[in-house]
Amino acid sequence: MTQYRLTPLADALPSTVPFVGPETQERAMGRAFDARLGANENVFGPSPRAIEAMAQAQQWMYGDPESHDLRAALAAHHGISPANIIVGEGIDGLLGYLVRLMVTEGDAVVTSDGAYPTFNYHVAGFGGVLHKVPYAGDHEDPTALFAKAAEVDAKLVYLANPDNPMGSWHEGPVISSALEALPKGCLLVLDEAYIDCAPEGTAPDLVADDPRLIRMRTFSKAHGMAGARVGYAIGAPDLITAFGKVRNHFGMNRAAQAGALAALQDSDWLARVQARISEARDRIAQISEDNGLVALPSAANFVAIDCGADGSFAKAVLDGLVARGVFVRMPFAAPQNRCIRVSCGTPDNLDAFAAALPGALEDAKKG
Amino acid sequence: MTQYRLTPLADALPSTVPFVGPETQERAMGRAFDARLGANENVFGPSPRAIEAMAQAQQWMYGDPESHDLRAALAAHHGISPANIIVGEGIDGLLGYLVRLMVTEGDAVVTSDGAYPTFNYHVAGFGGVLHKVPYAGDHEDPTALFAKAAEVDAKLVYLANPDNPMGSWHEGPVISSALEALPKGCLLVLDEAYIDCAPEGTAPDLVADDPRLIRMRTFSKAHGMAGARVGYAIGAPDLITAFGKVRNHFGMNRAAQAGALAALQDSDWLARVQARISEARDRIAQISEDNGLVALPSAANFVAIDCGADGSFAKAVLDGLVARGVFVRMPFAAPQNRCIRVSCGTPDNLDAFAAALPGALEDAKKG
């Protein structure tokens, strides 16, 4: 007998990381990236008010385990009740709690093939069985997702709108009407991490108490606070209450709560960031075109660029960019893996990308 | 069928919080506490260098998922390898991961009756069966704990040294020799959250690769960074690696990592804080004596004060202190619940405590 005994489930899991961090790559390369455009971080950063609030926070105190003030402000912002909101350690943390609440060994879960790996990581981690549906023309396919959910008796179905890694999106009414076919006993996890980068009307117009779905939001993207780990979920009060069964009650960083509250109140800053994201998307499209590539339309803070061949070719382009000091990532599944994914950077970041891309393409074409 | 389906285990769990936060009490009272002495926070705060590092952190970036720099510094500090160290979202977060790795429904776990409730929360949350051993003279009893572990075939046994909530401690060699009787197949979770407040020699002199135990440390106590959520565990590399199966890889706040690194390097500040903690312990003992009460010896940043009667009386004293604006807590289990637990405060905080205690005692005596 070994000294410690993992559960059979834990024993069977790989020790893995859904994504390798850019710092790991930098340490391996022995140099820093010139442009950090791979993790869909927001290079324009948080509101100065959020930065100040985080700097002023008194970190000797535990954070409020109820995140009361932040939840109250979010409730006012969305015109809903604080009882509809749970704050957690980023969407990643909240997805982990949600999967733990719903999924045990053998339970069916549905997602798109090539969608968010961290969700899949959590499902596997609790013994769930993932069923994957293909994208339809680089869009996640709600109708196919919900049909698959009915077929396999899924407890959860995951849909990101806007989508990551493709940047594609559905208008809100498309989601709302597809929801009519969501089977009973299946909860939709609607990941809206990028919603603040999307056109008006991308979020479906649904009441917060709708028992069919839980919506995930974050301060990591448009609000520029990825390092702070603040996400929240909107759902029916009984579902929100259930998080109290499993969450790390004192897990929320005190400064992060204060920063998110300040960020939420600075709508001017958010508008400026949204404009800069939009400019950066246009610039990435232009750089793509200049290099004979096609940038896909995006409602997120990144752009998927079709490299015009297969996954191996796109991977070679990616490797060429990384070797030239530009951190980018790419979709995992075919045929979306014909693309690379480039986050919206500053003009300087995108100059670095523009400078690196021709050489990376040339190398990739040489094989 | 309801729209969502919890797992049978989740369905059976209460929606609970191991501790009610002081902010919740303040909202209920409609006023702020004058002295926050209930959560064993460190009122002397983090190193100014840590505060500066957190303020300077670029929160638009995700934190390094490997916590490489912090782990390297911790390894150097302890004279061990980074492979012996996992960094996580406070000891609470690490305990959750550890229990998830080891405990599934019906598995036996041993702790002391009245020891850390958040550990118990995690065990219950994964379906484990808790077996509790009484304190021996206000000390946790390693011999009894390990004997119980053998009796019930426990997978985990929890021991805090110094102990919370009593502040009592064992010298390191006591732990080391008790470990000889730890049954095979049982891992000791040695919670050393308060070790930096304890006398030299309280930490057992064991190699980091010892497969029998995992040690939990934190920046929340002596380092004054409770709000930042930075803990770490020291263990054998294969055990440390297993955390990669279940942890939230990008869960560590970027500023918190930088702050912890800076705190670790400021040993002068730590020494000053340790001196102030020691002074505060003496002052709390003096205030106790002035009121005819007995303060228990403490190796932590709090003092348990024996109120001289039963749990109801101590609770009445506690209520009287809270009503007078002094936040304190108390042990949960008899006979330790004859005490209240007072964190080491500033001289002003302890003035407030000294001013409130006589009235609280008088009210409690009136019944």
Side-chain angles (χ1 to χ4, degrees):
Chain A
M1 191 185 287
T2 56
Q3 188 61 48
Y4 64 86
R5 292 175 279 173
L6 300 181
T7 68
L9 173 60
D11 195 44
L13 293 172
S15 289
T16 185
V17 48
F19 296 103
V20 176
E23 290 83 1
T24 305
Q25 296 182 52
E26 289 176 333
R27 287 188 288 269
M29 295 190 303
R31 60 168 285 209
F33 283 117
D34 300 318
R36 184 167 159 129
L37 302 174
N40 300 343
E41 295 158 329
N42 176 350
V43 300
F44 309 113
S47 156
R49 290 197 226 165
I51 292 171
E52 180 65 15
M54 289 190 280
Q56 293 301 324
Q58 299 217 47
Q59 290 284 60
W60 67 267
M61 290 186 266
Y62 287 103
D64 175 12
E66 299 184 6
S67 297
H68 174 276
D69 296 349
L70 178 56
R71 284 170 57 238
L74 287 166
H77 176 75
H78 291 296
I80 59 180
S81 161
N84 292 115
I85 298 172
I86 180 81
V87 167
E89 304 93 333
I91 290 179
D92 284 0
L94 288 165
L95 288 174
Y97 295 137
L98 180 69
V99 171
R100 180 175 162 196
L101 283 170
M102 305 286 169
V103 175
T104 189
E105 292 178 58
D107 283 343
V109 176
V110 171
T111 187
S112 300
D113 189 16
Y116 194 45
T118 304
F119 177 72
N120 301 357
Y121 167 79
H122 289 308
V123 172
F126 288 100
V129 178
L130 269 171
H131 299 268
K132 294 180 181 177
V133 165
Y135 278 65
D138 295 326
H139 285 68
E140 291 198 57
D141 185 345
T143 303
L145 285 164
F146 301 163
K148 177 61 78 175
E151 178 193 329
V152 300
D153 188 27
K155 294 176 88 172
L156 291 175
V157 56
Y158 175 90
L159 170 64
N161 190 46
D163 173 64
N164 174 24
M166 301 312 288
S168 57
W169 70 104
H170 294 289
E171 292 184 10
V174 173
I175 307 288
S176 301
S177 39
L179 257 180
E180 299 300 321
L182 186 76
K184 272 294 218 187
C186 180
L187 184 74
L188 168 61
V189 186
L190 183 61
D191 184 341
E192 298 183 319
Y194 296 98
I195 197 72
D196 293 317
C197 310
E200 278 292 315
T202 303
D205 187 20
L206 297 163
V207 298
D209 284 352
D210 192 317
R212 296 173 299 175
L213 79 165
I214 186 165
R215 307 168 84 143
M216 299 283 179
R217 302 284 183 104
T218 183
F219 284 86
S220 296
K221 304 301 178 185
H223 287 293
M225 290 173 51
R229 316 313 300 127
V230 187
Y232 61 103
I234 302 172
D238 60 333
L239 175 58
I240 294 300
T241 301
F243 282 81
K245 295 168 177 260
V246 298
R247 72 189 180 94
N248 186 2
H249 289 269
F250 285 84
M252 285 303 301
N253 183 294
R254 187 177 188 93
Q257 293 188 45
L261 183 59
L264 188 67
Q265 290 161 344
D266 193 350
S267 53
D268 289 349
W269 180 262
L270 179 62
R272 285 174 55 182
V273 168
Q274 288 166 327
R276 299 194 71 179
I277 287 171
S278 179
E279 289 162 15
R281 286 193 298 234
D282 292 345
R283 175 89 195 281
I284 294 169
Q286 186 60 52
I287 295 167
S288 303
E289 191 182 321
D290 294 345
N291 287 271
L293 306 179
V294 175
L296 276 58
S298 170
N301 73 336
F302 60 85
V303 175
I305 301 173
D306 187 337
C307 292
D310 63 4
S312 303
F313 182 77
K315 178 64 165 57
V317 175
L318 181 149
D319 288 343
L321 290 169
V322 166
R324 288 168 175 81
V326 179
F327 168 52
V328 300
R329 286 191 177 131
M330 63 181 289
F332 293 97
Q336 283 70 43
N337 67 357
R338 70 190 190 281
C339 299
I340 58 171
R341 194 194 67 179
V342 181
S343 304
C344 290
T346 62
D348 281 357
N349 295 153
L350 296 182
D351 287 348
F353 172 61
L357 184 58
L361 275 169
E362 199 170 322
D363 288 356
K365 282 172 188 158
K366 284 184 199 150
Chain B
M1 192 186 285
T2 56
Q3 187 61 47
Y4 63 84
R5 292 175 279 172
L6 299 181
T7 67
L9 173 60
D11 195 45
L13 293 172
S15 288
T16 185
V17 49
F19 296 102
V20 176
E23 289 84 1
T24 305
Q25 296 181 52
E26 289 176 333
R27 287 188 289 270
M29 295 190 303
R31 61 168 284 209
F33 283 117
D34 300 319
R36 185 168 158 129
L37 302 174
N40 300 344
E41 295 159 328
N42 175 350
V43 300
F44 309 113
S47 156
R49 290 196 225 167
I51 292 171
E52 179 66 14
M54 290 190 278
Q56 293 300 323
Q58 300 217 45
Q59 290 284 57
W60 66 267
M61 290 186 267
Y62 287 102
D64 175 10
E66 299 185 6
S67 297
H68 174 276
D69 295 349
L70 179 56
R71 284 170 56 238
L74 286 166
H77 177 75
H78 291 296
I80 60 180
S81 161
N84 291 115
I85 298 172
I86 181 81
V87 167
E89 304 93 334
I91 290 179
D92 285 359
L94 289 165
L95 288 174
Y97 295 138
L98 180 68
V99 171
R100 180 174 161 197
L101 283 170
M102 305 285 168
V103 175
T104 190
E105 293 178 58
D107 283 344
V109 176
V110 171
T111 187
S112 301
D113 189 16
Y116 194 44
T118 304
F119 177 72
N120 301 357
Y121 167 80
H122 290 308
V123 172
F126 289 99
V129 178
L130 269 171
H131 299 267
K132 295 180 180 176
V133 164
Y135 278 65
D138 296 324
H139 285 67
E140 292 198 57
D141 184 345
T143 303
L145 286 163
F146 302 163
K148 175 61 77 174
E151 178 193 330
V152 300
D153 189 27
K155 293 176 88 172
L156 292 174
V157 56
Y158 176 91
L159 170 64
N161 189 47
D163 173 64
N164 174 23
M166 302 311 289
S168 57
W169 70 103
H170 294 288
E171 292 184 8
V174 173
I175 306 289
S176 301
S177 40
L179 258 180
E180 300 299 322
L182 185 74
K184 271 296 218 187
C186 180
L187 184 74
L188 168 62
V189 186
L190 183 62
D191 184 341
E192 298 182 320
Y194 297 98
I195 198 74
D196 293 317
C197 309
E200 277 293 315
T202 304
D205 187 21
L206 297 164
V207 298
D209 285 351
D210 193 316
R212 298 173 297 176
L213 79 164
I214 186 165
R215 307 168 85 141
M216 300 283 180
R217 302 284 182 104
T218 184
F219 285 86
S220 297
K221 303 302 177 186
H223 287 293
M225 291 174 50
R229 316 313 301 125
V230 187
Y232 61 103
I234 301 172
D238 60 333
L239 175 58
I240 293 301
T241 301
F243 282 80
K245 296 168 176 259
V246 297
R247 73 189 178 94
N248 187 2
H249 289 270
F250 286 85
M252 285 302 301
N253 184 294
R254 187 176 187 91
Q257 292 188 44
L261 183 60
L264 188 68
Q265 290 162 345
D266 194 350
S267 54
D268 288 350
W269 179 263
L270 179 63
R272 285 175 55 183
V273 168
Q274 287 166 327
R276 299 195 70 180
I277 287 171
S278 179
E279 289 162 15
R281 285 192 299 233
D282 291 345
R283 176 89 196 281
I284 294 169
Q286 186 61 53
I287 294 167
S288 304
E289 191 183 321
D290 294 345
N291 286 273
L293 307 179
V294 175
L296 276 58
S298 170
N301 73 336
F302 59 86
V303 176
I305 301 173
D306 187 336
C307 292
D310 64 4
S312 304
F313 182 77
K315 178 64 165 55
V317 176
L318 181 148
D319 289 342
L321 290 169
V322 166
R324 288 167 174 81
V326 178
F327 169 52
V328 300
R329 286 191 177 131
M330 64 182 288
F332 293 96
Q336 283 70 43
N337 67 357
R338 71 189 190 281
C339 299
I340 57 171
R341 193 194 68 178
V342 181
S343 306
C344 290
T346 62
D348 281 357
N349 294 154
L350 297 182
D351 287 348
F353 171 61
L357 184 58
L361 275 169
E362 199 169 323
D363 287 357
K365 282 172 189 159
K366 284 183 202 151

